[in-house]
């Protein structure tokens, strides 16, 4: 038979705590050997003895003695639970995926038989404790999965919450078909800049402060060529894109090969290209641009399959539903490949919830756009950039080099990666995408003005960090950046509709950015 009493605890010689002659308490091991009625009576008697003893003490000592008794019992129970053997686990079908059906069914049946035999051999009270331990472990595992999932999809959850908040606050104006289309037009250039900024941040938390000035400068050159010099739209677009590449070569070379810190190099670029913008425009605003150029950022894809009885853009619906179907198929195929190769795939339930939520969102946006004029032309520019860079960062060697450089620059260099070239290409690409954003923004405004692009770098940086990019580099995705840019756009649009003052909007955006980066820093600290 097990010891009847809980092991006595001794105070250290130097302890100032008063010693109490606490009544003996029955140990969990002793209670397991008793019947249910006997164990209940033993516990009742022990509690009565403790209560009677406590009544002999004054009020202050009584509280201290009660805490000591609880501490002793808790310590004894923890030791007891640690000593218990867990019941044999029943394996899942996944663990025998490589075996034929009869074999894995036999193994599962054997495991079930062993588990039943073990549980039947336990005393009744110990059986309850073992089953309670299993339930506690299951709860802990579920909470851990929910915690990891909420962390992984925190910005997506926040985006949904912000959309719902402003959708209700604006009485549905935010989600009106026309406003949804305007959201795409208004925030496409921010998303384009944010994708480029992500590559800079991945290299080690570096940023490009010059992108706003580059947008203004390239827009000014486009206005000078198309409006003053009457040069065609296509040649002007080519010249502007080449100009963006040249700016990238200049800044990337200074950073990667000369060794100028990115902050200083791009700060200098911000001042240089803002001054060149003023020089090209001579302080004036140039307008209007040719109609063919405006279609780049203000037009919609016409409906190729109109149906008079249906007041919706059928082309938009077909594209949206097809895109949703392709998304679901790609996610399923990717998961099946991981399972086949034995990779960890995460919770099936959360995978399904993720697919359903994103699919519903895509279909909802599709229907809203179809109720207005269809798909904005700039959406295809943004879609092409997102797909290209998502593939580049996740499925190509140069993309993995970016993550390696941001994760540990010294290790990346010693492993044979040309870190200077990676840094050079990241900043060259940033200026190229800034030129694309400049053309989109100029077409949106239908003018080239000296103040174009002011603070664009802040919106791009904010979108990256809000979208989950790490301030230390090496972490971030194009999809996350897109969510961050959408979050910023919805927040700006919602506050404008509600009539928030510009100063208040700046305060709110600053606080959101601070919270996003603080969350990343705290998460990093906990992981260490």
């Amino acid at each position: 038979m097990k010891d009847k009493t809980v092991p006595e605890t001794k105070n250290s010689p130097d302890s100032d705590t008063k010693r109490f002659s606490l009544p003996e308490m029955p140990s969990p091991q002793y209670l397991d050997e008793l019947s249910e009625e006997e164990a209940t009576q033993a516990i009742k008697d022990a509690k009565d003895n403790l209560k009677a003893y406590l009544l002999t003490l004054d009020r202050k000592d009584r509280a201290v003695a009660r805490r000591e008794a609880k501490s002793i019992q808790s310590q004894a129970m923890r030791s007891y639970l640690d000593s218990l053997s867990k019941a044999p686990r029943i394996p899942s079908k996944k663990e025998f995926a490589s075996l034929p059906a009869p074999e894995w069914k036999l193994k599962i049946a054997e495991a079930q038989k062993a588990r039943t035999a073990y549980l039947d051999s336990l005393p009744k009270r110990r059986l309850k404790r073992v089953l309670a331990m299993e339930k506690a472990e299951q709860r802990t595992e579920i909470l851990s999965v929910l915690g990891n999932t909420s962390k992984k999809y925190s910005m997506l959850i926040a985006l949904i919450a912000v959309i719902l908040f402003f959708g209700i606050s604006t009485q549905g104006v935010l989600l009106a078909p026309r406003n949804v289309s305007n959201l795409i037009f208004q925030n496409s250039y921010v998303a384009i800049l944010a994708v480029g900024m992500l590559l800079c941040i991945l290299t080690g938390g570096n940023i490009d402060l010059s992108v706003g000035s580059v947008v203004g400068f390239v827009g000014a050159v486009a206005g000078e060529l198309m409006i003053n010099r009457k040069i065609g739209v296509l040649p002007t677009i080519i010249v502007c894109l080449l100009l963006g590449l040249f700016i990238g070569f200049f800044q990337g070379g200074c950073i990667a090969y000369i060794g100028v810190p990115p902050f200083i190099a791009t700060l200098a670029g911000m001042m240089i290209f803002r001054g060149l913008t003023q020089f090209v425009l001579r302080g004036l605003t140039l307008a209007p641009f040719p109609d063919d150029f405006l279609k780049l950022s203000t037009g919609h894809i016409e409906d190729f399959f109109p149906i008079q009885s249906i007041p919706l853009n059928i082309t938009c619906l077909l594209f949206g539903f097809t895109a949703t179907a392709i998304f679901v198929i790609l996610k399923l195929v990717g998961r099946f490949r991981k399972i086949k190769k034995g990779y960890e795939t995460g919770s099936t339930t959360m995978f399904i919830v993720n697919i359903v939520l994103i699919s519903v969102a895509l279909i909802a946006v599709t229907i809203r756009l179809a109720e207005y004029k269809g798909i904005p032309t700039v959406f295809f520019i943004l879609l092409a950039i997102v797909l290209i860079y998502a593939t580049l960062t996740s499925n190509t060697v140069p993309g993995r080099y970016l993550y390696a450089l941001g994760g540990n620059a010294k290790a990346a260099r010693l492993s044979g990666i040309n870190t200077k070239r990676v840094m050079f290409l990241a900043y060259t690409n940033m200026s190229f995408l800034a030129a694309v954003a400049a053309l989109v923004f100029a077409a949106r405004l239908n003018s080239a003005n000296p103040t174009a692009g002011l603070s664009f770098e802040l919106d791009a940086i904010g979108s990256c960090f809000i979208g989950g990019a790490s301030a230390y580099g090496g972490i971030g995705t194009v999809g996350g950046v897109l969510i961050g840019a959408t979050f910023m756009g919805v927040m700006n649009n919602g506050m404008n509709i509600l009539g928030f003052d510009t100063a208040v909007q700046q305060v709110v955006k600053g606080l959101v950015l601070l919270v996003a980066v603080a969350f990343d820093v705290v998460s990093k600290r906990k992981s260490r």
Side-chain angles (χ1 to χ4, degrees), residues 335-396:
R335 185 175 179 85
F336 289 145
R337 283 179 178 173
K338 288 182 179 180
I339 293 173
K340 188 176 180 180
K341 294 178 180 179
Y343 296 158
E344 181 63 37
T345 55
S347 169
T348 302
T349 302
M350 296 311 303
F351 174 76
I352 294 173
V353 170
N354 180 32
I355 285 184
V356 170
L357 287 178
I358 295 178
S359 299
V360 169
L362 289 174
I363 292 173
V365 171
T366 297
I367 293 174
R368 282 306 196 188
L369 292 176
E371 289 175 341
Y372 186 49
K373 294 182 179 179
I375 305 172
T377 50
V378 71
F379 175 79
F380 287 97
I381 298 174
L382 180 59
L383 179 63
I385 289 173
V386 167
L387 291 177
I388 290 171
Y389 284 89
T391 303
L392 171 69
T393 54
S394 59
N395 296 323
T396 67

Side-chain angles (χ1 to χ4, degrees), residues 90-153:
I90 299 177
S92 63
K93 294 180 182 179
K94 286 183 181 179
E95 297 178 45
F96 302 120
S98 60
L99 298 178
E103 290 189 32
W104 64 254
K105 286 182 180 179
L106 178 61
K107 288 185 177 293
I108 290 178
E110 290 174 352
Q112 289 174 334
K113 185 178 178 180
R115 176 181 171 81
T116 302
Y118 172 77
L119 295 177
D120 289 342
S121 68
L122 297 177
K124 192 171 182 180
R125 291 183 67 85
R126 186 175 298 178
L127 173 62
K128 287 183 178 179
R129 289 193 175 113
V130 169
L131 295 178
M133 283 176 58
E134 288 188 347
K135 288 183 179 180
E137 288 179 355
Q138 290 172 0
R139 284 195 299 270
T140 302
E141 185 177 350
I142 291 171
L143 291 175
S144 176
V145 170
L146 290 176
N148 292 334
T149 302
S150 62
K151 182 179 178 181
K152 182 177 180 181
Y153 298 108

Side-chain angles (χ1 to χ4, degrees), residues 493-527:
N493 189 262
M495 289 191 291
N496 283 331
I497 294 172
L498 293 174
F500 278 53
D501 187 77
T502 304
V504 176
Q505 294 185 32
Q506 293 295 328
V507 171
V508 172
K509 288 195 291 185
L511 289 174
V512 169
L513 178 59
L514 179 63
V515 169
V517 176
F519 179 77
D520 171 61
V521 172
V522 172
S523 299
K524 285 276 188 183
R525 189 181 301 155
K526 286 183 178 179
S527 66

Side-chain angles (χ1 to χ4, degrees), residues 76-91:
M77 182 58 73
R78 281 197 299 271
S79 300
Y80 169 68
L81 292 176
D82 290 341
S83 67
L84 288 179
S85 300
K86 294 182 180 179
R89 188 178 62 87
I90 299 177

